[in-house]
Amino acid sequence: MTGGRADPPQIPTPGRLTVLAGPTAVGKGTIADYVRTHFPGVWFSVSMTTRRPRPDEVDGVHYHFVDDQEFDRLVAAGEFLEHAVVHGVAKYGTPRGPVERALREGRDALLEIDLQGARQVKEAMPEALFVFLEPPDWDELVRRLVRRGTENQPDRRRRLETARREMASRTEFDEVVVNDDVRRASEELVSLMRSRRATR
Ligand code: 5GP
């Protein structure tokens, strides 16, 4: 260094936000897990939820687990980018601050959220990339719902009705990825995230 003018501080190109949503039981969580493991460059938002942790879940990694009162306080303080009651049971929300920070730092950020949340993000950040994950066909979704769900007939019928309604919302999305194979679908998702970044 010879006393010349200091270089201006490097401001990174802002990152791009991608929202992954889709019908109940399509396998969003599985795709998210695959991307988390195989593409460490992708930044994941950690949601807040009022539901109880499952045995294998770690607070601060899979979710921030909070009680109802704390969740409502954060809503009132405007701390969420989006929030919703999912399956009529628990509240879920995306903390705004960490997402904005990640994007400022130039990271490719991914939100894996439900359809109500995706619509709210579209209002707030229409420039984000919205990806709809769909099953290879309707019968496969029914099989997945039956496998994971209760054998109780009315409950299954309700879930299927919800899934059918959710499938219709694919037209609101920029891209559709078919979950025919976890690895293939995950790679397609990440390549969409990256190609968008290159063309904008
Ligand atoms: P689970 O309780 O099985 O982890 O997730 C249930 C549902 O909540 C999934 O459809 C998941 O995409 C959705 N979800 C997870 N986090 C959020 C969030 O921050 N906001 C919204 N709107 N949905 C979320």
Side-chain angles (χ1 to χ4, degrees):
M1 290 278 285
T2 53
R5 265 188 308 164
D7 287 336
Q10 292 293 305
I11 300 170
T13 311
R16 179 132 338 266
L17 181 65
T18 299
V19 176
L20 179 69
T24 306
V26 71
K28 276 176 301 180
T30 313
I31 297 288
D33 283 343
Y34 189 94
V35 173
R36 203 180 270 115
T37 308
H38 294 86
F39 298 94
V42 174
W43 182 89
F44 273 82
S45 165
V46 180
S47 297
M48 300 234 173
T49 182
T50 60
R51 85 151 161 73
R52 286 172 189 281
R54 297 177 184 135
D56 56 339
E57 287 178 329
V58 180
D59 190 23
V61 175
H62 298 94
Y63 285 102
H64 298 289
F65 296 97
V66 295
D67 62 19
D68 231 60
Q69 210 180 355
E70 173 66 358
F71 195 97
D72 292 347
R73 190 189 68 73
L74 293 166
V75 171
E79 296 281 344
F80 288 119
L81 180 58
E82 60 73 36
H83 61 94
V85 175
V86 180
H87 300 320
V89 186
K91 297 172 183 173
Y92 294 78
T94 305
R96 183 190 297 281
V99 174
E100 291 178 348
R101 208 171 311 124
L103 295 177
R104 264 202 313 275
E105 288 168 0
R107 318 284 301 267
D108 288 319
L110 186 62
L111 306 186
E112 185 258 289
I113 59 179
D114 87 321
L115 287 161
Q116 311 168 74
R119 291 188 181 116
Q120 291 173 43
V121 178
K122 193 154 189 178
E123 286 285 311
M125 303 174 87
E127 70 281 11
L129 172 64
F130 294 86
V131 180
F132 187 85
L133 187 68
E134 72 173 12
D137 56 55
W138 177 251
D139 290 348
E140 178 56 26
L141 191 70
V142 174
R143 273 194 294 276
R144 287 180 196 182
L145 264 169
V146 170
R147 227 172 13 231
R148 78 144 60 161
T150 150
E151 293 307 304
N152 169 325
Q153 202 57 28
D155 194 42
R156 191 186 303 169
R157 204 173 315 118
R158 244 192 326 272
R159 282 161 176 261
L160 283 172
E161 278 162 20
T162 308
R164 200 179 281 282
R165 228 178 311 114
E166 289 172 336
M167 287 286 280
S169 61
R170 76 200 286 279
T171 54
E172 299 168 35
F173 286 73
D174 300 315
E175 304 283 352
V176 174
V177 169
V178 179
N179 188 11
D180 48 1
D181 174 85
V182 172
R183 177 176 163 189
R184 196 211 59 76
S186 304
E187 286 174 355
E188 185 182 352
L189 170 66
V190 173
S191 116
L192 285 169
M193 291 175 75
R194 291 184 174 155
S195 68
R196 269 299 256 247
R197 191 184 165 86
T199 54
R200 284 196 172 190

